[in-house]
Amino acid sequence: MADATEPTDVRASTDEVLAAAAARSAADLLVAYEATFRRHPGLSHLGPLAAHHAQHVEAFAQQPVANGRGARVPRSPRDALSALAAAESGIRERRVAAARAATSGALARALASAAACQSQHLVLLRPGRP
Amino acid sequence: MTGSPGEAAAQATLAGEHAAVYAYGVVGGVVDPSGALGGLARAGYGAHVNRRDRLERSLRALDVEPVAAEPGYALPRPVTTEADAARLIRRVEDRCAVLHAALVAASTGELRGEAVGWLSDAATRGLAWGAPPAAFPGVGPT
């Protein structure tokens, strides 16, 4: 991805900003899933989705990433699923925009692929999915 | 983009779309047309035909002759049941996802923007046919 040894290269530093934002948002989503599982153990079957976000943190982080920021988990499991879907959807939109904007083709591909993973998550988070 | 990596990736994606249109045609003859897979097969066929046409238009606009469909395609294994059909489509969508991801990397501007959407489309169609979700569809090991 972006070359951290060339901070004077404006284009490279833009890619670094995009990658860092993707790492941070993945960390936020990871924390949101973990908090959801603590409050609603019945939703723990969604663990593989949280694991994807851990992989996204690893892929996009250029340096240690601060722990994600948690949000309040709604009282009902159905609302908790909706909250996760809303968080996924907003971050997915930003990743799509970042994939279009990235200078590096490799970073664009990684961002677009992470967004595709989130598109799958949005299907799996629909109410009524087992 | 003549002779460019973007052109090569667009042609590879188009070849993949030709194969996908063929595969969905085969599958359409096997699945129950009134069942859930029948609906998925029709939607998938239409989506791949549209994407094929879109890529052909993009290439022609650049004075590039789009690659044609092959005269025939060999299936990895016979498709006689709905399970065979689902297996074939999972392979096809996975292959399309790899091609779309490569196109994202090799292109810029409007075409990249479209490829970004196509990658999500391939990932969710594969999921609908029973593929497991992946951290990096079209890129990494699942």
Side-chain angles (χ1 to χ4, degrees), chain A residues 27-88:
Chain A
D28 289 344
L29 284 168
L30 182 56
V31 163
Y33 274 88
E34 286 168 347
T36 302
F37 300 156
R38 277 196 300 277
R39 177 133 197 199
H40 301 291
L43 297 178
S44 297
H45 64 282
L46 298 171
L49 280 59
H52 292 157
H53 294 303
Q55 289 178 257
H56 293 165
V57 173
E58 271 184 48
F60 291 114
Q62 312 286 316
Q63 55 189 356
V65 180
N67 283 338
R69 290 158 302 180
R72 262 182 0 96
V73 178
R75 189 185 299 268
S76 87
R78 189 189 173 88
D79 291 346
L81 281 180
S82 300
L84 285 176
E88 290 264 14

Side-chain angles (χ1 to χ4, degrees), chain B residues 2-78:
Chain B
T2 305
S4 68
E7 180 195 322
Q11 292 280 36
T13 304
L14 175 56
E17 293 300 333
H18 285 311
V21 168
Y22 173 81
Y24 270 97
V26 169
V27 161
V30 172
V31 297
D32 174 4
S34 58
L37 292 185
L40 284 177
R42 283 190 296 278
Y45 183 84
H48 285 283
V49 164
N50 286 340
R51 203 171 301 156
R52 176 199 67 192
D53 294 348
R54 170 74 183 85
L55 281 161
E56 286 178 346
R57 281 198 303 277
S58 294
L59 286 160
R60 288 212 174 88
L62 297 159
D63 275 337
V64 175
E65 184 60 25
V67 293
E70 300 293 337
Y73 291 88
L75 294 172
R77 48 188 289 175

Side-chain angles (χ1 to χ4, degrees), chain A residues 56 92 99 102 105 109 113 116-117 119-120, chain B residues 101 104-105 112 120 123 133-137:
Chain A
H56 293 165
R92 199 196 88 84
R109 178 175 54 195
S113 179
C117 164
S119 298
Q120 293 180 320
Chain B
V104 168
R112 183 194 277 180
S120 271
F136 285 102

Side-chain angles (χ1 to χ4, degrees), chain B residues 88-135:
Chain B
L88 175 64
I89 295 301
R90 289 197 296 272
R91 284 181 69 135
V92 163
E93 293 295 352
D94 187 55
R95 177 74 187 139
C96 283
V98 169
L99 293 166
H100 299 327
L103 183 57
V104 168
S107 62
T108 56
E110 194 184 334
L111 183 57
R112 183 194 277 180
E114 292 205 80
V116 170
W118 297 342
L119 177 52
S120 271
D121 184 81
T124 50
R125 275 185 213 287
L127 187 72
W129 288 85

